[in-house]
Amino acid sequence: MRLIGRPIKHSAFTLIEMVISMAILILTSQLLVATVGVLQKAIKVTQQQQNTINWHISTIQLDQFLADAYFTHHQDQDGSKITFRKPDTNQSGEEAETVYYLKRMKNEMVVVSQLDGYMPLLGNLKQLQLDYQ
């Protein structure tokens, strides 16, 4: 096309420029995919380490909490529970015994008292099987 004797130039990408830009785009996306893969592996390892740390902390907490408790085995309609009794003092200052048991609530393992108070021990559980030995 000519406008008053001059040719009109249309600026556009050439085929070589398009191929180069596609190559750059593919390389960038490959780097991004590789980075996401490495990050997912790092997150998985970190979560496993955190779960191990949580397991150790909960074991220490339970050991300290149960230092003077004694265990019994209890069977009820929900199945077998690990029950323990701990010497305690009631509100009037008299010696009493509080009954606790280990239980799964949602996705946590907790220590539950007879008054329905509870102390979370482990989280993110998929399955929990308790055994008294």
Side-chain angles (χ1 to χ4, degrees):
M1 294 180 97
R2 289 181 182 249
L3 182 66
I4 311 177
R6 291 191 191 156
I8 299 176
K9 281 191 164 186
H10 294 288
S11 35
F13 283 110
T14 64
L15 183 59
I16 293 174
E17 290 172 332
M18 186 61 78
V19 169
I20 291 173
S21 64
M22 291 299 289
I24 291 172
L25 181 66
I26 290 170
L27 288 174
T28 305
S29 64
Q30 289 296 325
L31 288 173
L32 182 65
V33 167
T35 303
V36 168
V38 168
L39 286 176
Q40 286 177 340
K41 287 179 184 177
I43 288 170
K44 187 175 182 180
V45 167
T46 303
Q47 286 176 340
Q48 289 173 346
Q49 290 174 344
Q50 186 64 38
N51 288 343
T52 302
I53 291 169
N54 288 344
W55 173 256
H56 289 295
I57 290 171
S58 65
T59 303
I60 291 169
Q61 285 178 334
L62 186 60
D63 282 345
Q64 289 176 351
F65 183 71
L66 300 177
D68 55 348
Y70 61 94
F71 291 87
T72 58
H73 183 65
H74 178 69
Q75 184 81 22
D76 64 1
Q77 67 270 14
D78 294 335
S80 185
K81 291 182 184 175
I82 297 177
T83 305
F84 53 94
R85 299 172 186 275
K86 183 175 179 181
D88 205 358
T89 55
N90 57 16
Q91 292 175 349
S92 61
E94 299 172 355
E95 289 290 321
E97 207 172 61
T98 307
V99 178
Y100 298 94
Y101 57 94
L102 296 175
K103 177 181 176 182
R104 180 179 179 179
M105 291 179 66
K106 298 181 184 174
N107 61 346
E108 293 181 326
M109 181 174 82
V110 297
V111 175
V112 180
S113 73
Q114 62 194 11
L115 303 173
D116 290 331
Y118 72 95
M119 176 175 68
L121 293 176
L122 289 175
N124 299 325
L125 295 177
K126 294 179 183 171
Q127 182 178 2
L128 177 65
Q129 179 178 353
L130 299 174
D131 189 23
Y132 176 77
Q133 296 183 11

